[in-house]
Amino acid sequence: MTDTGLAPLPATDRPDAAARLRDALLAASFTVDGLLDLLGAPAYAALARSETVPALRATRGDTPLETLVRLFLLQQPAPHARVAAVLPVDEVLESGWLTDVGGGEVAATVDVRPFGGPGGEDWFIVSDLGCAVGGAGGIGQRDEGVVLGVGGASTTLAGITVRMPVASALDLGTGSGIQALHASRHATRVTATDVNPRALHITALTLALSGAPAADLREGSLFEPVKEGETFDLIVSNPPFVISPGARLTYRDGGMGGDDLCRSLVQQAGERLNEGGFAQFLANWQHVAGEDWQDRLRSWVPRGCDAWIVQREVQDVTQYAELWLRDAGDHHGDPAEYQARYDAWLDEFEARKVKAVGFGWITLRRTGAAEPSVTVEEWPHPVEQPLGEVIRAHFDRLDFLREYDDAALLEGHFRLAAEVVQEQVGLPGAEDPEHVVLRQHRGMRRATKVDTVGAGFAGVCDGTLSAGRILDAIAQLVGEDRTLLRDRTPAQIRLLVEQGFLEPVV
């Protein structure tokens, strides 16, 4: 893989050099825990805000870890002799991880940032200089084709991804390789694609330096590199979803009009999934005047797939334009040029009648069900990551509800989900609450209103009695007709199951 216009990258055909570099980094405690111990929480947090002064102050000594932090995280040259005491310096220079800058000093050619894997693994994310989260260059130092490190969107996608053993996984638009790295823990075969050959090169470096198996790396846009008839058990993508007037920055701008890139990605995923397989994306979508945004997203869902789409945030067009102008550093440049670019964004939105832009998660699951389920909802509230198991359980519950009609539902057994609490709201001293709320303290952290029957039913569910027997007991307790209660309650049970307050005991 060749690169032009940006700094040369370390070689990908020297796994021995990467392995010895990894051993040296670990021996010096160049890990997440090691950085926290060295820098302290304030300086470590400042790095995530692209503020390097606290970390520079905390690394004024000459210990091995201080040398590595200044070299790979802060992009400061270091004396050859000092680096030689920590790394196999000649081999690292020869393989391209370091470069000789003269004056007896060497410098890093890439950002290398420690990252803690979900199973306690010590991973390292490689990115272009100054482009790791907290990299020394920070915002405004990005060129077309540059490869970024791990940001909030990357960690969000990794957290929502369903993790279970699979034969094959596909990471579309791999970037620095963080999704491929996660997939390598539970997929026998990992394929990673990117339109930017530099990203594929850096993904190979990330995997090698993290001690992970190599991936099948393919150059091309979206599903173009996927062979005809090739299917996967898991597809993930944090695509260049920014809705912009043009494609200035490869890592974020898709180059298609409006939200067409995200729509194409979702619509084409269905035929690439094996039965029961998941496709999970982060995406932006337009809120167009005179159109229901939920209907817009429902139209994206491919045939034969269940879908759960969650809108996490909405920005009006001015907020959205300003966010991505700042991301490119345009606010630091010429004011007239900034205004012209701002105008171009607003012209684009006005031409498409776009009033706002939504951001969120899209999960598809290939299903053989006659009537696939499509849920589109807005949930801007805090959630508890990781959510992969919560998302998998959501689709399992859909299967259960499809199979059980109301009569079968009343014969079923249920258990109240962990850490669900009941809140009663009403005037002080009132005999009965105005309403009862069930609230989750895990996962999606939902809250839902229930009537007294629903609250009583949920409170008794421990898996031992059938739903029908519980309702019969409640009917006798409150003096209500048993048959009427059985007729009107299944809808409420279905909602509590769908939203995860009740779990079927099968």
Side-chain angles (χ1 to χ4, degrees):
M1 300 175 195
T2 59
D3 297 290
T4 59
L6 290 168
L9 294 170
T12 57
D13 59 355
R14 292 289 306 275
D16 53 339
R20 280 189 278 276
L21 174 57
R22 171 180 171 78
D23 290 343
L25 296 178
L26 294 176
S29 297
F30 188 66
T31 63
V32 171
D33 290 341
L35 291 185
L36 270 172
D37 289 342
L38 171 67
L39 302 178
Y44 188 78
L47 275 178
R49 303 190 299 270
S50 297
E51 296 291 347
T52 60
V53 171
L56 287 166
R57 292 174 59 86
T59 56
R60 289 178 287 193
D62 58 1
T63 67
L65 182 54
E66 287 171 297
T67 298
L68 293 176
V69 171
R70 292 178 70 86
L71 195 63
F72 286 114
L73 278 185
L74 304 177
Q75 278 85 65
Q76 300 294 308
H80 185 285
R82 184 180 298 175
V83 175
V86 186
L87 302 177
V89 65
D90 291 337
E91 184 176 27
V92 175
L93 279 166
E94 182 185 350
S95 56
W97 292 92
L98 299 179
T99 185
D100 190 329
V101 294
E105 291 190 319
V106 297
T109 58
V110 287
D111 261 306
V112 175
R113 184 175 181 85
F115 187 90
E121 301 92 346
D122 288 312
W123 288 342
F124 299 98
I125 309 301
V126 181
S127 64
D128 272 310
L129 290 173
C131 293
V133 174
I139 302 299
Q141 301 295 319
R142 300 175 183 173
D143 299 314
E144 182 179 357
V146 79
V147 180
L148 304 189
V150 178
S154 301
T155 54
T156 294
L157 178 59
I160 68 172
T161 299
V162 174
R163 303 293 175 191
M164 57 187 182
V166 295
S168 56
L170 172 64
D171 176 16
L172 286 175
T174 188
S176 60
I178 182 62
Q179 309 306 330
L181 187 54
H182 276 88
S184 71
R185 298 181 69 246
H186 62 101
T188 302
R189 175 173 58 89
V190 177
T191 301
T193 73
D194 206 291
V195 70
N196 182 2
R198 190 175 182 86
L200 297 176
H201 192 129
I202 283 180
T203 290
L205 298 175
T206 290
L207 294 172
L209 196 58
S210 297
D216 178 5
L217 304 176
R218 305 180 191 176
E219 183 180 346
S221 177
L222 301 181
F223 288 101
E224 285 177 3
V226 177
K227 301 170 187 175
E228 184 176 355
E230 190 175 16
T231 56
F232 300 87
D233 302 308
L234 175 67
I235 300 173
V236 293
S237 183
N238 176 21
F241 53 65
V242 176
I243 300 171
S244 61
R248 289 175 57 205
L249 300 173
T250 303
Y251 71 86
R252 68 165 209 193
D253 301 321
M256 296 186 187
D259 51 16
D260 284 353
L261 183 138
C262 291
R263 176 185 55 79
S264 298
L265 185 63
V266 174
Q267 289 181 336
Q268 294 174 26
E271 63 185 3
R272 299 298 187 180
L273 280 176
N274 293 324
E275 186 73 18
F278 286 89
Q280 298 186 265
F281 314 107
L282 300 186
N284 274 179
W285 43 79
Q286 298 173 149
H287 286 229
V288 178
E291 176 184 271
D292 187 319
W293 68 270
Q294 293 184 329
D295 289 343
R296 182 181 191 85
L297 288 172
R298 287 189 184 95
S299 73
W300 291 8
V301 178
R303 292 172 60 108
C305 287
D306 290 324
W308 184 16
I309 302 173
V310 182
Q311 180 168 274
R312 294 288 291 156
E313 184 180 0
V314 180
Q315 291 185 326
D316 67 46
V317 292
T318 60
Q319 292 173 309
Y320 190 81
E322 290 162 12
L323 170 66
W324 296 110
L325 287 167
R326 288 194 302 271
D327 172 81
D330 292 327
H331 60 311
H332 292 312
D334 177 64
E337 187 174 346
Y338 173 81
Q339 182 176 339
R341 285 179 171 162
Y342 200 151
D343 270 334
W345 284 73
L346 297 185
D347 285 344
E348 176 82 4
F349 287 133
E350 185 176 344
R352 295 179 175 274
K353 300 181 180 179
V354 176
K355 302 300 181 183
V357 177
F359 168 83
W361 320 323
I362 298 176
T363 299
L364 307 176
R365 185 190 60 167
R366 189 77 187 175
T367 179
E371 296 184 13
S373 169
V374 177
T375 300
V376 183
E377 63 175 319
E378 185 166 17
W379 190 254
H381 311 293
V383 298
E384 182 187 51
Q385 286 273 36
L387 281 169
E389 180 59 23
V390 172
I391 290 173
R392 184 199 60 76
H394 167 86
F395 288 93
D396 286 347
R397 293 193 301 271
L398 287 183
D399 288 340
F400 172 84
L401 292 172
R402 266 196 290 249
E403 294 173 6
Y404 282 66
D405 60 18
D406 286 356
L409 199 69
L410 293 176
E411 293 300 317
H413 293 238
F414 302 90
R415 180 188 300 114
L416 188 66
E419 296 196 39
V420 172
V421 299
Q422 176 179 307
E423 300 173 358
Q424 297 186 175
V425 180
L427 294 173
E431 184 174 344
D432 295 313
E434 292 179 13
H435 59 262
V436 179
V437 174
L438 298 181
R439 186 178 301 277
Q440 300 169 347
H441 282 259
R442 302 291 299 273
M444 292 294 288
R445 294 181 175 172
R446 295 187 185 277
T448 189
K449 289 183 182 180
V450 293
D451 58 22
T452 53
V453 171
F457 177 86
V460 175
C461 283
D462 62 3
T464 59
L465 297 176
S466 69
R469 289 188 62 186
I470 293 173
L471 290 178
D472 291 345
I474 292 175
Q476 184 176 5
L477 183 65
V478 301
E480 189 166 340
D481 181 87
R482 168 179 173 273
T483 302
L484 291 176
L485 192 61
R486 277 177 168 253
D487 286 344
R488 71 176 175 86
T489 306
Q492 190 169 190
I493 296 175
R494 286 184 182 279
L495 179 64
L496 292 176
V497 171
E498 182 181 344
Q499 295 190 342
F501 290 93
L502 294 177
E503 299 171 348
V505 179
V506 181

